[in-house]
Short mmCIF file of all heavy atoms in Angstrom, two decimals:
data_model
loop_
_atom_site.label_atom_id
_atom_site.label_comp_id
_atom_site.label_asym_id
_atom_site.label_seq_id
_atom_site.Cartn_x
_atom_site.Cartn_y
_atom_site.Cartn_z
N PHE A 153 -2.78 19.10 25.21
CA PHE A 153 -2.95 18.21 26.37
C PHE A 153 -4.38 18.32 26.86
O PHE A 153 -5.10 19.26 26.53
CB PHE A 153 -1.97 18.61 27.48
CG PHE A 153 -2.22 19.98 28.06
CD1 PHE A 153 -2.97 20.14 29.22
CD2 PHE A 153 -1.72 21.12 27.44
CE1 PHE A 153 -3.21 21.40 29.76
CE2 PHE A 153 -1.95 22.39 27.97
CZ PHE A 153 -2.70 22.53 29.13
N ILE A 154 -4.80 17.32 27.63
CA ILE A 154 -6.16 17.36 28.17
C ILE A 154 -6.09 18.03 29.55
O ILE A 154 -5.41 17.55 30.46
CB ILE A 154 -6.78 15.96 28.24
CG1 ILE A 154 -6.88 15.41 26.81
CG2 ILE A 154 -8.16 16.01 28.90
CD1 ILE A 154 -7.48 14.05 26.68
N GLY A 155 -6.77 19.16 29.66
CA GLY A 155 -6.72 19.95 30.89
C GLY A 155 -7.58 19.32 31.98
O GLY A 155 -8.37 18.40 31.73
N LYS A 156 -7.45 19.87 33.19
CA LYS A 156 -8.30 19.38 34.29
C LYS A 156 -9.76 19.67 33.99
O LYS A 156 -10.65 19.05 34.58
CB LYS A 156 -7.87 20.05 35.61
CG LYS A 156 -6.50 19.58 36.09
CD LYS A 156 -6.06 20.28 37.37
CE LYS A 156 -4.62 19.90 37.70
NZ LYS A 156 -4.07 20.69 38.82
N ASN A 157 -10.03 20.58 33.05
CA ASN A 157 -11.42 20.86 32.64
C ASN A 157 -11.90 19.89 31.54
O ASN A 157 -12.98 20.10 30.99
CB ASN A 157 -11.56 22.30 32.17
CG ASN A 157 -10.72 22.62 30.94
OD1 ASN A 157 -10.04 21.74 30.40
ND2 ASN A 157 -10.74 23.86 30.50
N THR A 158 -11.10 18.89 31.22
CA THR A 158 -11.37 17.83 30.22
C THR A 158 -11.27 18.30 28.77
O THR A 158 -11.53 17.53 27.85
CB THR A 158 -12.74 17.11 30.41
OG1 THR A 158 -13.79 17.98 29.98
CG2 THR A 158 -12.97 16.65 31.83
N MET A 159 -10.92 19.58 28.57
CA MET A 159 -10.82 20.07 27.20
C MET A 159 -9.44 19.76 26.63
O MET A 159 -8.46 19.65 27.39
CB MET A 159 -11.02 21.60 27.16
CG MET A 159 -12.36 22.06 27.67
SD MET A 159 -13.75 21.39 26.75
CE MET A 159 -13.54 22.15 25.14
N ILE A 161 -6.32 21.21 25.16
CA ILE A 161 -5.76 22.57 25.23
C ILE A 161 -4.45 22.61 24.46
O ILE A 161 -3.53 21.83 24.74
CB ILE A 161 -5.53 23.00 26.69
CG1 ILE A 161 -6.87 22.97 27.46
CG2 ILE A 161 -4.89 24.38 26.76
CD1 ILE A 161 -6.74 23.24 28.94
N THR A 190 0.09 16.60 30.47
CA THR A 190 -0.59 17.74 31.10
C THR A 190 0.37 18.91 31.26
O THR A 190 1.58 18.72 31.39
CB THR A 190 -1.17 17.36 32.49
OG1 THR A 190 -1.75 18.54 33.07
CG2 THR A 190 -0.12 16.82 33.43
N MET A 191 -0.18 20.11 31.23
CA MET A 191 0.60 21.32 31.53
C MET A 191 -0.14 22.16 32.57
O MET A 191 0.15 23.33 32.73
CB MET A 191 0.82 22.13 30.25
CG MET A 191 1.75 21.43 29.26
SD MET A 191 1.94 22.35 27.71
CE MET A 191 2.92 23.75 28.24
N CYS A 192 -1.12 21.55 33.24
CA CYS A 192 -1.91 22.30 34.22
C CYS A 192 -1.11 22.66 35.46
O CYS A 192 -1.40 23.67 36.12
CB CYS A 192 -3.13 21.49 34.66
SG CYS A 192 -4.40 21.35 33.40
N GLY A 193 -0.13 21.84 35.81
CA GLY A 193 0.62 22.09 37.03
C GLY A 193 -0.31 22.11 38.24
O GLY A 193 -1.21 21.28 38.35
N THR A 194 -0.10 23.11 39.11
CA THR A 194 -0.90 23.17 40.34
C THR A 194 -2.18 23.99 40.16
O THR A 194 -2.95 24.16 41.11
CB THR A 194 -0.08 23.80 41.49
OG1 THR A 194 0.36 25.09 41.03
CG2 THR A 194 1.10 22.95 41.87
N CYS A 195 -2.41 24.49 38.96
CA CYS A 195 -3.61 25.32 38.72
C CYS A 195 -4.89 24.50 38.96
O CYS A 195 -4.95 23.31 38.63
CB CYS A 195 -3.58 25.81 37.27
SG CYS A 195 -5.05 26.74 36.79
N THR A 196 -5.88 25.15 39.55
CA THR A 196 -7.18 24.48 39.73
C THR A 196 -8.32 25.46 39.40
O THR A 196 -9.43 25.30 39.87
CB THR A 196 -7.36 24.00 41.18
OG1 THR A 196 -7.12 25.10 42.07
CG2 THR A 196 -6.43 22.87 41.55
N ARG A 197 -8.02 26.47 38.60
CA ARG A 197 -9.01 27.52 38.35
C ARG A 197 -10.34 26.98 37.83
O ARG A 197 -11.40 27.40 38.25
CB ARG A 197 -8.47 28.50 37.31
CG ARG A 197 -7.50 29.49 37.86
CD ARG A 197 -7.37 30.59 36.83
NE ARG A 197 -6.06 31.22 36.95
CZ ARG A 197 -5.70 32.26 36.24
NH1 ARG A 197 -6.52 32.78 35.34
NH2 ARG A 197 -4.52 32.79 36.39
N CYS A 198 -10.24 26.07 36.85
CA CYS A 198 -11.49 25.58 36.23
C CYS A 198 -12.32 24.80 37.25
O CYS A 198 -13.54 24.92 37.29
CB CYS A 198 -11.18 24.71 35.01
SG CYS A 198 -10.02 23.38 35.35
N LEU A 199 -11.62 24.01 38.08
CA LEU A 199 -12.35 23.18 39.06
C LEU A 199 -13.07 24.07 40.07
O LEU A 199 -14.21 23.81 40.45
CB LEU A 199 -11.38 22.25 39.81
CG LEU A 199 -10.41 21.44 38.93
CD1 LEU A 199 -9.55 20.54 39.82
CD2 LEU A 199 -11.16 20.59 37.92
N ASN A 200 -12.41 25.16 40.45
CA ASN A 200 -12.99 26.05 41.46
C ASN A 200 -14.10 26.93 40.87
O ASN A 200 -15.02 27.33 41.58
CB ASN A 200 -11.92 26.97 42.06
CG ASN A 200 -10.81 26.17 42.73
OD1 ASN A 200 -11.04 25.02 43.11
ND2 ASN A 200 -9.62 26.72 42.86
N PHE A 207 -16.99 18.89 38.68
CA PHE A 207 -15.76 18.09 38.59
C PHE A 207 -15.50 17.37 39.91
O PHE A 207 -15.00 17.98 40.86
CB PHE A 207 -14.55 18.98 38.28
CG PHE A 207 -14.60 19.66 36.94
CD1 PHE A 207 -14.87 21.02 36.85
CD2 PHE A 207 -14.40 18.95 35.77
CE1 PHE A 207 -14.92 21.66 35.62
CE2 PHE A 207 -14.46 19.57 34.53
CZ PHE A 207 -14.72 20.93 34.46
N PRO A 210 -10.01 16.20 39.09
CA PRO A 210 -9.47 16.74 37.85
C PRO A 210 -9.66 15.76 36.68
O PRO A 210 -9.49 14.55 36.85
CB PRO A 210 -7.98 16.94 38.16
CG PRO A 210 -7.93 17.07 39.64
CD PRO A 210 -9.03 16.22 40.19
N ARG A 211 -10.02 16.32 35.52
CA ARG A 211 -10.22 15.55 34.28
C ARG A 211 -11.41 14.59 34.32
O ARG A 211 -11.51 13.70 33.48
CB ARG A 211 -8.94 14.77 33.87
CG ARG A 211 -7.96 15.64 33.12
CD ARG A 211 -6.68 14.91 32.80
NE ARG A 211 -5.82 14.87 33.95
CZ ARG A 211 -5.07 15.89 34.36
NH1 ARG A 211 -5.04 17.00 33.67
NH2 ARG A 211 -4.34 15.79 35.45
N VAL A 247 -17.66 28.58 31.26
CA VAL A 247 -16.92 29.04 32.44
C VAL A 247 -15.58 28.32 32.61
O VAL A 247 -14.54 28.95 32.79
CB VAL A 247 -17.78 28.88 33.72
CG1 VAL A 247 -16.95 29.17 34.97
CG2 VAL A 247 -18.99 29.79 33.67
N CYS A 248 -15.58 26.96 32.52
CA CYS A 248 -14.33 26.25 32.80
C CYS A 248 -13.30 26.42 31.69
O CYS A 248 -12.13 26.10 31.87
CB CYS A 248 -14.58 24.77 33.11
SG CYS A 248 -15.46 23.88 31.85
N GLN A 249 -13.72 26.93 30.54
CA GLN A 249 -12.74 27.28 29.50
C GLN A 249 -12.28 28.72 29.69
O GLN A 249 -11.10 29.03 29.59
CB GLN A 249 -13.35 27.13 28.11
CG GLN A 249 -13.57 25.71 27.69
CD GLN A 249 -13.84 25.64 26.19
OE1 GLN A 249 -12.93 25.62 25.38
NE2 GLN A 249 -15.11 25.61 25.85
N ASP A 250 -13.24 29.61 29.97
CA ASP A 250 -12.91 31.04 30.05
C ASP A 250 -11.87 31.35 31.13
O ASP A 250 -11.08 32.26 30.97
CB ASP A 250 -14.17 31.87 30.33
CG ASP A 250 -15.04 32.01 29.08
OD1 ASP A 250 -14.57 31.62 28.00
OD2 ASP A 250 -16.18 32.48 29.20
N VAL A 251 -11.91 30.60 32.24
CA VAL A 251 -10.98 30.92 33.34
C VAL A 251 -9.59 30.33 33.11
O VAL A 251 -8.67 30.63 33.88
CB VAL A 251 -11.52 30.42 34.70
CG1 VAL A 251 -12.83 31.10 35.07
CG2 VAL A 251 -11.66 28.90 34.72
N CYS A 252 -9.44 29.52 32.10
CA CYS A 252 -8.17 28.83 31.90
C CYS A 252 -7.09 29.81 31.42
O CYS A 252 -7.30 30.52 30.43
CB CYS A 252 -8.34 27.70 30.89
SG CYS A 252 -6.81 26.82 30.56
N PRO A 253 -5.94 29.83 32.08
CA PRO A 253 -4.90 30.79 31.66
C PRO A 253 -4.44 30.59 30.22
O PRO A 253 -3.99 31.54 29.58
CB PRO A 253 -3.77 30.55 32.65
CG PRO A 253 -4.15 29.41 33.52
CD PRO A 253 -5.59 29.09 33.29
N PHE A 254 -4.55 29.38 29.69
CA PHE A 254 -4.11 29.16 28.30
C PHE A 254 -5.04 29.84 27.29
O PHE A 254 -4.67 30.00 26.14
CB PHE A 254 -4.00 27.65 28.01
CG PHE A 254 -2.86 27.00 28.72
CD1 PHE A 254 -3.06 26.32 29.91
CD2 PHE A 254 -1.56 27.09 28.21
CE1 PHE A 254 -1.99 25.74 30.58
CE2 PHE A 254 -0.49 26.50 28.88
CZ PHE A 254 -0.71 25.82 30.07
N GLN A 255 -6.21 30.24 27.74
CA GLN A 255 -7.15 30.89 26.83
C GLN A 255 -6.67 32.27 26.38
O GLN A 255 -7.17 32.81 25.40
CB GLN A 255 -8.54 31.04 27.48
CG GLN A 255 -9.32 29.74 27.58
CD GLN A 255 -9.77 29.24 26.22
OE1 GLN A 255 -8.97 28.72 25.43
NE2 GLN A 255 -11.05 29.37 25.93
FE1 SF4 B 2 -5.58 23.27 33.67
FE2 SF4 B 2 -5.85 25.54 35.07
FE3 SF4 B 2 -6.69 25.40 32.55
FE4 SF4 B 2 -7.99 24.07 34.44
S1 SF4 B 2 -7.80 26.29 34.28
S2 SF4 B 2 -7.44 23.31 32.43
S3 SF4 B 2 -6.30 23.46 35.78
S4 SF4 B 2 -4.56 25.21 33.27
#
Side-chain angles (χ1 to χ4, degrees):
F153 65 96
I154 298 180
K156 291 178 187 172
N157 63 2
T158 74
M159 299 301 294
I161 300 174
T190 177
M191 291 177 71
C192 288
T194 56
C195 176
T196 52
R197 281 196 207 184
C198 53
L199 311 181
N200 300 338
F207 295 107
R211 277 176 281 282
V247 172
C248 56
Q249 288 194 84
D250 284 351
V251 298
C252 178
F254 289 98
Q255 286 290 75

